Amino acid sequence: MNRYWNAAYPFGLSGAGLCLLGMLVMYFMDVEPVSMNLIIGYVFTPIFVFFAIKSFRDSYNQGELFFSQGMTVGFFVYTLMAVLSAFYVFIFLQVAPQVFETFRQVNLNLMLDNQEILKEQLNEKAYTDTYDSIADMSRWDVAINDFLRKIFPGLFFTIIISIILKRSNQSTQHS
């Protein structure tokens, strides 16, 4: 287990660090940083998962990679990124409460701007429940949302990347 972690943690830490840096850059550019952190995470997660799995295969496993090994390394990477990201989003929203209020207001405005379309697609009660849940969201809710929006895409990307990078010594000898 140690070699999986050793291959994964530098990439998980680097990915989380770059997501944090991107969020801070967006904040200082007066762009809503929490939503941008999600988008940045969608970009960085597959990149860091790919390089961690490739690094494990090439540096820790003599060029061989089974699907389960790729899944383990990828799991460590995207989980570390998700946990650290949720943590710093929560801390950031505590330190800068106006960012939380802006994030909530942007989402409420989006609901209001698309009110008729959403009511048609869903129904009045679903729209009202969703609007109320956004109005009542907490900083903790935003952090959990950030965590989940990194975990599920991370799993998806890890499955694909593990299949692509899978290689056994038998297949490399016959090539």
Side-chain angles (χ1 to χ4, degrees):
M1 189 58 74
N2 195 26
R3 64 190 180 126
Y4 299 112
W5 174 250
N6 288 339
Y9 87 84
F11 293 95
L13 288 176
S14 300
L18 278 177
C19 286
L20 173 61
L21 180 63
M23 189 174 93
L24 292 174
V25 167
M26 294 299 133
Y27 174 73
F28 289 117
M29 291 176 57
D30 287 329
V31 175
E32 198 284 302
V34 177
S35 297
M36 292 307 296
N37 186 49
L38 293 172
I39 295 168
I40 291 167
Y42 291 143
V43 173
F44 286 149
T45 300
I47 293 169
F48 284 91
V49 166
F50 174 85
F51 284 112
I53 293 172
K54 186 173 181 334
S55 172
F56 174 80
R57 182 190 72 188
D58 298 343
S59 301
Y60 290 86
N61 217 36
Q62 296 80 39
E64 185 172 63
L65 181 75
F66 296 107
F67 178 76
S68 60
Q69 294 171 322
M71 290 299 295
T72 302
V73 172
F75 170 80
F76 285 146
V77 173
Y78 70 74
T79 301
L80 185 58
M81 287 178 70
V83 167
L84 291 175
S85 178
F87 178 72
Y88 68 67
V89 164
F90 182 76
I91 297 298
F92 188 77
L93 295 177
Q94 295 290 68
V95 172
Q98 76 282 4
V99 172
F100 172 69
E101 293 305 323
T102 301
F103 176 75
R104 180 174 26 205
Q105 196 57 51
V106 164
N107 284 288
L108 289 172
N109 290 344
L110 188 61
M111 290 286 296
L112 289 172
D113 291 345
N114 296 304
Q115 182 175 8
E116 294 307 314
I117 296 168
L118 292 171
K119 284 181 181 179
E120 278 179 27
Q121 291 177 349
L122 306 170
N123 61 46
E124 180 78 32
K125 181 170 176 11
Y127 173 83
T128 304
D129 290 347
T130 303
Y131 186 89
D132 291 344
S133 72
I134 292 172
D136 295 338
M137 82 169 107
S138 67
R139 288 166 179 81
W140 180 246
D141 294 330
V142 177
I144 292 294
N145 182 50
D146 185 82
F147 173 81
L148 293 174
R149 289 182 182 236
K150 288 189 175 53
I151 285 290
F152 291 118
L155 174 61
F156 173 75
F157 291 127
T158 298
I159 291 168
I160 293 170
I161 293 167
S162 293
I163 290 169
I164 292 170
L165 292 178
K166 187 177 102 166
R167 184 189 317 156
S168 66
N169 284 335
Q170 288 180 336
S171 65
T172 56
Q173 291 171 354
H174 294 288
S175 298

